[in-house]
Every structure is written in structure tokens, then in C-alpha cells.
Amino acid sequence: MSHNTFGHLFRFTTWGESHGPALGCVVDGCPSGLSLSESDIQPWLDKRRPGQSRHVTQRREPDQVRILSGVFEDERTGGPVTTGAPISLMIENVDQRSKDYSDIRDKWRPGHADFTYDAKYGVRDYRGGGRSSARETAARVAAGAIARKVLGDGIQIRGALVQVGPRRIDPARWDWDAVHQNDFFCPDAETAEAWAEDMDAIRKAGSSVGGLIEVVVSGIPAGWGAPVYGKLDADLASAMMSINAAKAVEIGSGLNAAALRGEDAADEMALDDTGQPRFTSNHNGGVLGGISTGQDLVMRVAIKPTSSIRIDRQTLTKDLQPTTVSTKGRHDPCVAIRGVPVAEAMAALVLADHKLRAAALKA
Amino acid sequence: MSHNTFGHLFRFTTWGESHGPALGCVVDGCPSGLSLSESDIQPWLDKRRPGQSRHVTQRREPDQVRILSGVFEDERTGGPVTTGAPISLMIENVDQRSKDYSDIRDKWRPGHADFTYDAKYGVRDYRGGGRSSARETAARVAAGAIARKVLGDGIQIRGALVQVGPRRIDPARWDWDAVHQNDFFCPDAETAEAWAEDMDAIRKAGSSVGGLIEVVVSGIPAGWGAPVYGKLDADLASAMMSINAAKAVEIGSGLNAAALRGEDAADEMALDDTGQPRFTSNHNGGVLGGISTGQDLVMRVAIKPTSSIRIDRQTLTKDLQPTTVSTKGRHDPCVAIRGVPVAEAMAALVLADHKLRAAALKA
Amino acid sequence: MSHNTFGHLFRFTTWGESHGPALGCVVDGCPSGLSLSESDIQPWLDKRRPGQSRHVTQRREPDQVRILSGVFEDERTGGPVTTGAPISLMIENVDQRSKDYSDIRDKWRPGHADFTYDAKYGVRDYRGGGRSSARETAARVAAGAIARKVLGDGIQIRGALVQVGPRRIDPARWDWDAVHQNDFFCPDAETAEAWAEDMDAIRKAGSSVGGLIEVVVSGIPAGWGAPVYGKLDADLASAMMSINAAKAVEIGSGLNAAALRGEDAADEMALDDTGQPRFTSNHNGGVLGGISTGQDLVMRVAIKPTSSIRIDRQTLTKDLQPTTVSTKGRHDPCVAIRGVPVAEAMAALVLADHKLRAAALKA
Amino acid sequence: MSHNTFGHLFRFTTWGESHGPALGCVVDGCPSGLSLSESDIQPWLDKRRPGQSRHVTQRREPDQVRILSGVFEDERTGGPVTTGAPISLMIENVDQRSKDYSDIRDKWRPGHADFTYDAKYGVRDYRGGGRSSARETAARVAAGAIARKVLGDGIQIRGALVQVGPRRIDPARWDWDAVHQNDFFCPDAETAEAWAEDMDAIRKAGSSVGGLIEVVVSGIPAGWGAPVYGKLDADLASAMMSINAAKAVEIGSGLNAAALRGEDAADEMALDDTGQPRFTSNHNGGVLGGISTGQDLVMRVAIKPTSSIRIDRQTLTKDLQPTTVSTKGRHDPCVAIRGVPVAEAMAALVLADHKLRAAALKA
């Protein structure tokens, strides 16, 4: 029942603040015998790393991960493999300019967790948001890399940004290759160009904007997940909603399901070329009754605009004095962009857990 | 890590199938000394009960609840109070026409969990959906009534249906009193009338339609919930997504948050008439950083159209023979209607748990 | 984190008071496809049932169990099998003479949980001990019968009483067949006769006596359990100590391990006739580092004398008035006797859980 | 359900191997506002640290702890206080002579977890026992120091060694001050001298010996703990049995309870000088029905002799070749000695958790 642990059988616990000496996580429940070294994790962290385009924060964090436990030389290959012991991962914080934050020490920034942390804990590490900083998500991405190892190569987890502000991609132009060819993880090259212009204006105005992330998972067999309170989609909803700034989660047709009629929403079944069952549509996003159908899992998470903006907003000091606040630090004008690898990681973490949970019932 | 248990400190475990002898739940972790008898639970079950208008299923279930443990006479009042022991609730199934279901014994109904249960378990109680039936939600509503007792009178949990099919209410006409004056829990009397017509046509066509439920909770103090993986909104998302047929969950501005700019999304702070902090808007739906702000908690859950329709859909038999299926039984043409008390109950259950979790940290 | 739930993957939640209408449990996480009917459970309950000899309580409870959910007809055999849904078991209370208990309503009986329940909850179902009654263990035995199904026929769980008061059996005379041929589950026929005399005297004196239960489990493969905080022996210790009146738990050599030297305690390894590894002794009771060795699991639990005796003891009323109390009801003079099937059940329940946990790591 | 996490509300997760770069833990669920720095933790680690007398291992580990997260400057005092965020503690391993271990790389050492880890995981960090090394207990002691902070000064947790090999202390000579005046945490100065002679002989012989640890906790109010499966004594049993080499756990009279008669085992109640309830004896060790009575909590844990001895024992290689093994490394001849601060820490950790659990029910 930890507030900083996610998962049941495959689980991870994160720790660390934005401006502390380091952050990290402990991954527990990982099966033994999986080849694992830092080089399996680093590429995913690099994908999330700040400073990779003008559209994201210019903070410079190398985000180098170090494995402190849980791997050992395999007696056959000599290479490092997981031993079944907990895997401790650590990332040192390097580019912390704590002096930037003295101004907000005593103010509650609108949209941030300043007021609520003070209400709950009575003490708050105000430097860069402390524990509530999106910097915590680096630990999720690192853990997610291990989750991908557990899932194996047969399962593909891919995320994309499908909306920035009011502008949404055209699904007809969806191209997974495009995702790696622009600064937005955008699967629609044309829309990516429009976003670049939108973002320049927003950044110049000192403002920020929200976005919508879609994650698609291929290769999950039918039968993962569980009924009632162990539903795969309920766990994915919790995982996605736990991402900083998330405000909505959709599975399959999502919100649009409310508008449909039964005959249109039904995912009919037929036989594929090999005589195996297939669905002729995927309104349910790959889950029925909380259990995977074998189709692609499809989910979306809406991210609100970054709360740190250069535009003055009205607020209060901790002494209840009205004041205004704006944020001078280096922030993402659209935190949803770097949220894509985080959402992918959370999907991987949920699914690795459910892979183990499904295996348990085959005992 | 049970698939049939929800909650951490205040928790409940449900059991029972649609056409078994009974269904019920065990509520555990309830503080002692709360006055509790069947009459505290029955009204909420009655609200969810089938057969109350032409727009819902005509199945006739009295849904009489019985308390089997966990209460005892209070030595001062003589009335029944909770003792801190687990509270076992049981509801007998009465109107089960199992013979109706022989036709679907060997077919996978589109949109239902038939295929996935077979994939996962290899055996399935096909009568009325068995464990995957929405009948299970009666147990949630019963448990939710106890959760309300834990929360106390200062906290008000109210649900409403805000969309049926493509037709959404006009928020400007929102009237909580109206909710109890139509067959839809609709807060907008004018829209309720339009829905009645819509529904008559849908029912006549043997079809069904989706809907959107909104739940608003007033009276939660600032400081409930927790960071990172214990977020109040993540737990609410999981709770709402666990409801049968749910496909999306929104908190506050929800999906619309993606379209906003930072200066518009910020919930600014000011002082109220008594010199206490107040927010001038509630885009965040009463949660910041996973912790309650003291504002109203606002959430919505999208419910897909009932999968049981009288219109033929293509599917397969368990022997992989193509066939068609339609459902003759007595079903809700819009399951979102009776979902309103269920969504309220789930909100109550999450919040009772978080009330206890918040208290623990004050140790 | 429930106080009334035991286990992680295979888990059960019990409910009910000694003098309520019924007691029961919900077994969750049971794999599907196991044949299960009341007749698989009843024999174990009968073994624990009161009134079977003059040495146990004369309360007459039929302890008829009823399965309310979680089983359905198997399509091949037609017989009932588990479906993967939660299994609700109920046992009605029949022989409750609540009037017997008015005398102890306001007194804290020494050795009982009266004082501590009042301290914790402020309200107490005083009839027969309410929730703290050993009657709750009927639910454990019922759940344990399902755990045995999960474990399968290859795993044998056998309990015996090895000490009553100061008189211990002679291990050299251990005979498993004898266990079923006396009133004490005693594996040493000669000692059983001595106990019968001891017990007659104790019962006549209105006194009671403690005992020591040993449980031996054969057929567990090497590799169940886990390091550090998931240790098989730690989970067994918790399970055994949760039995009413338990005061000590031993694994293998147990307390005597403190007195040994390293060379004597080492369980050396050699090859058996088939060239497989075997241990030449079992001081460790079948567990090393929290993980099963493949040897017999050997554990013992010490049970204190029944606290309900006919001999006056000094105590206080709830109003803090000094008084004396003795118990007139029908009680077990040695509760350890009927504790044998309970201890067996707890071992089965721990092991079924660990079977599933081991399977999960093979994902 | 982690194998490396202990506790429910106040919980900690440990990681690290004996010869990895470091070991540590993440403490989660700690209330905010508690003053905490390394100097609060280091003294307890020093107490457990190797090399402090000739009777313990001569490995030289400074065991310097570092706090990496979860504390921040208090705005009033300026000193560090807990923030409610997870507290990450790290201890670097310094004196690892991994070359010592090549000899045992392919042998299963009797009494160690070598065989079972291989059976479970198929890969094993053989250096110094890897994850199964008692070195992991340093993390427990560090976490235990934080648990003591949660418990506060009113609760006193004291451990002592009461038996080494067959020689037990004389309880009549119990003196808590003596515990700090000998190399054994022995409360009986006379016995400590005899043990010193015993130990010199054992060490000289290359052998080892077991021991019995007693922990006494004063100041716990009545009402902590819970019935059935959340029993305080069951949780203590699990905690104590999770300590490396533990084979038995006793509460109060423990194993001896089996030999008692009801009238002798009853802890009678009377009034103390202030008119408050008191017990006239403590056979139950401060727990009734799983709930604290307000008396001293008394528990004992039996520790088997260190399995690493210089005397040849028969065993097998991983290739199933018979061989012998003896251990040349620097080991504790009686690991129970340094187990005393570990057992204290585990008691503190259980009780901090139960303090929070008790507070939750007062919501």
C-alpha cells in the first residue's frame, strides 16, 4: 500500500527529489536469467532526456543510470543477467540550479502541488517541485526498460503524441516511422510541422499547452488481466493517471464510446486466413471484461499544459497574502512531448506485472 | 493483490455470479462504533435496482441486503454499531431465468467478456454473464453505503448522467434537484425529456446506447490522497474504469485539458470572505499532485452501449464456427443510467480508504 | 493489508462471529478447472468439529459448509469445477446459547481478548468471544480444503499433537496411522493413553492445559518460497502464530537450534540411489534462505492452555471494579487438540499461495 | 507482495548483495516533520557493525549510511526533517574480498541458501552469499532507526542475548545496564564471562554455535495490533523469522506455554496504585487476541549456528559430484550476537507500522 510503489508481482519503488543528490528506483519481482546491463536502459532514458530540441526544457541532465544490485555474471555467457534479487537503479542529479527557486519558496504556484503538499505534509522541498517534479518519471522510464525485458521482443509498445493544444493529428496519415523523425513523437509529419509553429508562438509568449498521448501495444496474448478489480484497463488507467499532469485516460473508443450505439460499438468476430478468431474492429481497445482479447491494446492519456509559465498568475503566499507568481526556470512548454516515453514505460510496467499474474494462475 | 478486492485500509471483496444463489461482499477495515443496519444500505440498492422505469432492464430483483457479521448492539444506545470486525453482506438472487441463456452457451457475444473469460479460464458460467455481469455492482453499492458512513455527513457524493448517446446536457441548466425527478439521474430536466424520446426509439430498435456519468464530491478537506502512485485521481481512475463497460475517465477538465493553454488551465488562488484560501476555478477537479485541494472533486466516466442487443451481430462459436448472435434477455438499453449509483459508490469507496490512509500519517 | 485476509495470490478473507447467524470466507485467486464441491471440504471440517470425544468441547455444531459462488459445471464432465471467480463459503451457526454469556458481558476474562478488544474498538460482541472465538478457524479449515486442491495429490500435509501439558511423545514411536486411532491426533499410541488420563483429571478439575502441534509437509519441490521478506518459513511462522492461543513457532530444529554447534546443525548433502541430491539430515526443516529444499517441511506451534476454565481468576469489570471470573460454558480443556486440523489448513494455505508465487516467476 | 519489502503503512524495501557496490533501502510511509539525519541512524549501524570484538567477524566495514532523499530543511529549525517522501538510504560496501569465494562458486555449502537459490533462480551471486548474506541486515538496522523515530521516545526497544549454545543466562541476574558492558549484549554479567570462554574454544575449533535473542518493548499502549491475520504477534513472528538463520520465535511464555495449566497461564488483572488496570503476570508477552495489552512486549528468536565453519562438511558440486567444503572467510562464530540489533530493528519496524495502522482506524 505504498504511495511510491507500483505493481504487484513485478513492482518498482521510486525515490528522489528534483534537486536532491540523486533519484532512483528499486525494481522487485523481476524473473531471473534476463540479460540486463545499463545499455539496455540508457536508450529509453535518452529518449525522455531534457534538452533535445527547442520545444522542451533546456535543463541539461545526462541522466546516466547505474545498476547497483540484482545482476550477476551468467555462468554460460559471462554477461550480466538478472538474479531474481531486487534491482536498484540510481541516476545522479547534475544540473540543479536550486537558487532559481527561492522566489517560489513561500508561494503556492497555481496548477502545481505546492498548496496540497503543504496541506498534507506541512513541509515541502520547494526546489524544482521536489518530489512532485516530473523528474521522478526518469525512474519510471528506467524501470520500464526492465519491464520491456520481462515482456520480451514479441511485445511491442509504441507511443505517439496525437494532439497538441487544440490541434489533433489526422489518423489517416498515421505513420509509426514518422514518430522518430520530428521533435514531437508525432506520427503525422504534416501535423508535426504545424505543431512546431504553434509551439514557437507559445514558447515566445511564455505560455504552455496541453497534449494527448496515445500508446499502442501489440503482441499481448488473449487472457491477460482479470475481472472486477484486477482489470487490465483499470490498472492501465491508474498507471496513466499517475503520470504528472494527466487529467483523462481513454481505452479504445474512450470518451467517444458514450456516443455510440450498441450495433456500432460491438467488435464482431470472424475467422482470419489461418482459421483463427479475429475481431473486425477494436472499439474496446483490446480489453473485454478487464481481460486482453489478443488485439492491440490502445490507450490515450490527456496531459494538461505545463503549470510553470512566464505569465503572471494570481495566488497566495503561505502566510495567506495575495500575490502573483510566474516561473523563470527552464521548463517544457508542452510537457506532453516528453510524456510519451513515460506513458510507454507505464504501459510496459503494467503489462510486465500482468504477465507474471497470468503465469501464477497457470500453476 | 486480489482481483476481487478493492481498497487498502477500507476495503471490500465481492463474490457471486449473476445466476448463482446469491452475491455479496465482505467489507473490511471499517472503523468501529458507526451505527449501521440494513436500512442504511437498502436505499442505495433501491436506487440501482432494476425495473424502476421503462428505460432500464425489466428483471425483477428485490436486492434485499442482509448483514451477517461485524455489527453488534451498542451498549449505550442498544442500536447496532460496527465492531471493527469484517462486515459480511449478502443479497440473494431471485429472478434468475437461466434457461434464457442456453442459446449463448457456446457463442462469444461481441462486446461481452465471453471470449476473454474462455481464453483466461477455460471454463465460464455463461448464465447472464456469470461473474462478468453488471449484477456484481450491487455488491459495490452495498459496500459504498458503508463507505458513506465512514465519510460522515460532511461529505456529499452526488452523481448524474450528463450524456446519453451523442446528446449532452446543457451545464447551464444543471440542477441537482432535477436528478431525482426523472428516470435518468439527469440534472437538466429539458435534456431528460429528449433522452426519453431517444431511448424509446433505441429500445424499439432493439439497440442500445452509451452514456457519460459525472460524480461530484463536496466536503473533502485538502490533504487527502498522496503523491506518485497513491494519487487520489489515479485511484479514482482505477475505480471508475473497473465499472462494467467503462471506457474513459476524466478528472476536472479531463480530455479538454489537452486543448488548453497554461494561463487558462491554472486554477488561481485568492482569499474568500473569511480570509481562507480559495481557488477561482477548478480545472484540476479538486486534485493537485494526487492530493485533494479542498475543492469539489469532479470526475466523469464514459460507459459504452450495452453489448446485449436484439440486433444480429457476427461472431464465432467456441468451436470456431461463424454464426450470428442477438440477445433476447431483459437488458438495459443504456447501462449508464443504473451506472450512476455505482459510480457514486466507487467514489465513496475510494474516499473512505483515503480518509483512513490520511489518518494513518497523522500517527 | 486487511486484518481478515491471509495470502497474496491464493488468499482468503474470513468473516463471522461465534454467535452471529453464520461465518464464512471468500477464497480468491484459485486457479480455474479444479473439481470442487462441498464434499471436498466437509471431511476436513468434520475433523475439526466439536463434540467428537469427551476431551473436546461438547458444543454441537454440524458445521455444514455451503459453496455460494465460484464453481460451475465443467462442460466435459458436467461436474462442478472452479471458474477462477471468488469462492464464497458459508457455515451457519446453529448451537449458540447466547444467554450463557451475560455473566461475562462486563468482565475482562484473563487470557482472552476481552480487554484488548475493548481497548481497540470500544465495542465488543461478548457472546462466545465474538470475532476472537476459535470458531473463526472453521473458515480456515474450509479454505484449507481448497488450498489442498490447488496443491494436488502429490503434496501431503499431515499434523499431529506431540505434547499435552508437560508430557511429550516419544519420537521413536511415531506412527502416522496412530494419529487417526485416538482422540488426540497423537502419533504415539502409548502417550495417547497417558494423555487420556491426564485430560480426565484436568477436565474434572475444571482446568485446561496447553499443547504442541507438529505439521509435516511432504512433496514440496525445491525452489518454493523467496528470500528476505517473502521467506517460506516467515510466512509459515505468521500463519501458525495467527492461530488462536499460539505462543511459539518452530521450524526444523527450532528452539533447539540455539544449542547446536555448526558441524552438527549442517544438513550435509549426498547423492541418493538415483543420483539425485539428497540431504542427510533436516535440522533446517526443509527451508534454507527462505526457500524450500525439497525435503519435508517440518514446523511446530505451541498452544497455550484454554483460557476458559471453571476455576476462579481475579480480574476487573469494565468499570474497573475488582472481581473474579470463571467460565461455565462448554469449552475445550485442551484447545490444541482441535488445533491440529487448523494448523494443517494454515500450512496448506501458505503453500498454495507460494505455489502460485513460484509459478509467477517462471513467466 | 514484494519479497524484499516489509510492512504495510510504514514499509521498507531493501536491495543489495554482500559484494556488490552498495546496499540500501527505501523507507516509505514515514510521517512528515520528524527530525532525521545520518547521525540518527549511524549509532544503530555501529552497534551491528562487524569487527568490534574477537567474537564476531573481522570483516572491516565502516557501514557509513547516506540519506539520498526524503528529508529537507525545516523552515523553523533549519534542521533536516522528513517530508513524507520516500527515504532512500545507501551504504557502500568497502571490504569485499571477492577472490576468497572462488572456491565455493560451484559447491552448495550445507546450511546456506546456495542449493535453494540455484533451484529457484538458476543463477547465483556466490560472492559472500550474495543476496542471502546477513549483510542485508544492515539495511534493516538503518530502516529500524527511522522506525524508532516514528515510535518516539516513549517507546523503548531493548534486545539481549539470553543463550549461547546450551548455556542460558540466569534471569534472576538480568541487568539491562550489563548489556552494554560485554561483547555479547548479555544482560547477565556472570554468564557473559562463561560465554567468552565458550566462544574462544568454539572459534579455535573452527566451529560455530547458535543463540537465543530476547527483545522487550516497553511503552506500547493497549490497542495496537489487530485480530485474526493482522495480529501483532503474527507480524512479529514473521519479522523475527525473516532474520537470517532464525529457526524459532516465541511470544511471552512461548514454547513453555504448551506445558502450563489454564489457571497458571492466566494473566490476572487488578488495579495499580493509580486505579488503572494492570496485569499481575505476563505469560502472554503483552498480546491478547493479536492486540497489545499495554504490558511489555516480550519475544525471543532462536538463531542457528553460523553455517560457515572451518570444519569440513560433505556436500555436492553443482555438477552433482560429492565433495567436501569448509569456509575460510572471516565469519561470525555466533551470528546471534550481531543479531541482537537486527532483532531490535525488526521489532521497531513492525511496531512503527502498527502505530500507523492503529491511527488509521481512529479516522
Side-chain angles (χ1 to χ4, degrees), chain A:
Chain A
M1 216 235 56
S2 165
H3 297 152
N4 297 283
T5 296
F6 190 86
H8 297 269
L9 294 184
F10 182 86
R11 53 193 287 142
F12 68 106
T13 301
T14 72
W15 56 269
E17 286 86 32
S18 177
H19 286 61
L23 61 87
C25 63
V26 182
V27 175
D28 198 10
C30 186
S32 59
L34 301 174
S35 111
L36 183 73
S37 66
E38 278 92 350
S39 65
D40 292 305
I41 303 172
Q42 197 61 50
W44 303 105
L45 283 168
D46 291 347
K47 203 173 156 186
R48 178 203 160 278
R49 200 176 56 200
Q52 308 205 89
S53 85
R54 70 183 187 274
H55 303 299
V56 298
T57 175
Q58 298 305 304
R59 186 168 165 171
R60 295 281 166 189
E61 285 288 359
D63 279 356
Q64 287 292 328
V65 69
R66 197 174 160 213
I67 300 177
L68 295 176
S69 68
V71 297
F72 194 62
E73 60 192 64
D74 183 56
E75 62 181 25
R76 285 154 306 182
T77 67
V81 293
T82 58
T83 62
I87 304 167
S88 177
L89 303 177
M90 188 165 74
I91 297 167
E92 289 188 45
N93 287 326
V94 174
D95 185 15
Q96 325 135 313
R97 304 191 192 163
S98 293
K99 51 187 173 296
D100 282 352
Y101 292 96
S102 55
D103 182 46
I104 56 164
R105 171 177 176 161
D106 300 316
K107 292 179 180 177
W108 293 319
R109 292 168 299 161
H112 279 285
D114 299 350
F115 172 73
T116 53
Y117 269 61
D118 271 346
K120 185 172 191 68
Y121 296 116
V123 55
R124 171 168 55 93
D125 182 344
Y126 52 80
R127 300 167 306 163
R131 182 67 183 151
S132 72
S133 167
R135 192 147 175 68
E136 185 270 345
T137 60
R140 304 183 187 214
V141 170
I146 300 176
R148 287 178 191 264
K149 283 276 178 174
V150 172
L151 292 170
D153 291 337
I155 291 173
Q156 196 175 19
I157 300 169
R158 294 185 292 189
L161 195 62
V162 298
Q163 184 181 327
V164 170
R167 196 187 299 272
R168 192 143 179 181
I169 64 156
D170 179 351
R173 288 196 297 258
W174 191 295
D175 172 12
W176 278 114
D177 290 334
V179 164
H180 308 292
Q181 294 158 0
N182 57 64
D183 295 336
F184 302 99
F185 303 111
C186 179
D188 168 2
E190 212 170 301
T191 299
E193 286 179 35
W195 287 352
E197 285 180 42
D198 294 348
M199 289 296 298
D200 286 338
I202 286 162
R203 204 174 56 250
K204 207 163 295 175
S207 182
S208 66
V209 75
L212 185 68
I213 298 165
E214 180 162 326
V215 177
V216 178
V217 184
S218 306
I220 300 292
W224 288 15
V228 194
Y229 308 109
K231 284 181 174 161
L232 191 52
D233 37 355
D235 282 2
L236 288 167
S238 170
M240 294 298 149
M241 199 64 98
S242 80
I243 297 174
N244 306 48
K247 299 309 296 179
V249 181
E250 299 187 295
I251 304 289
S253 290
L255 211 60
N256 194 42
L260 294 177
R261 287 177 67 140
E263 60 272 31
D264 301 322
D267 294 323
E268 294 181 299
M269 298 190 78
L271 295 178
D272 68 14
D273 296 343
T274 69
Q276 288 307 300
R278 70 179 177 89
F279 293 87
T280 60
S281 59
N282 193 8
H283 291 286
N284 285 294
V287 195
L288 284 171
I291 302 171
S292 61
T293 62
Q295 297 169 276
D296 280 0
L297 287 174
V298 181
M299 67 208 80
R300 284 175 299 283
V301 52
I303 304 292
K304 71 177 183 182
T306 316
S307 298
S308 297
I309 51 177
R310 294 205 319 274
I311 299 167
D312 271 357
R313 294 288 91 188
Q314 302 235 322
T315 193
L316 300 172
T317 66
K318 289 168 70 174
D319 298 333
L320 300 189
Q321 300 304 315
T323 183
T324 61
V325 69
S326 69
T327 312
K328 305 298 180 303
R330 300 154 296 163
H331 294 284
D332 288 286
C334 176
V335 76
I337 302 171
R338 291 172 55 221
V340 172
V342 178
E344 286 178 9
M346 292 309 296
L349 290 156
V350 168
L351 290 166
D353 190 32
H354 273 282
K355 182 180 183 183
L356 272 58
R357 289 157 78 170
L361 285 180
K362 302 299 176 192

Side-chain angles (χ1 to χ4, degrees), chain C residues 320-342:
Chain C
L320 301 188
Q321 300 305 314
T323 183
T324 61
V325 69
S326 69
T327 312
K328 304 295 179 306
R330 301 153 296 164
H331 294 283
D332 288 280
C334 176
V335 76
I337 301 170
R338 290 172 57 222
V340 172
V342 178

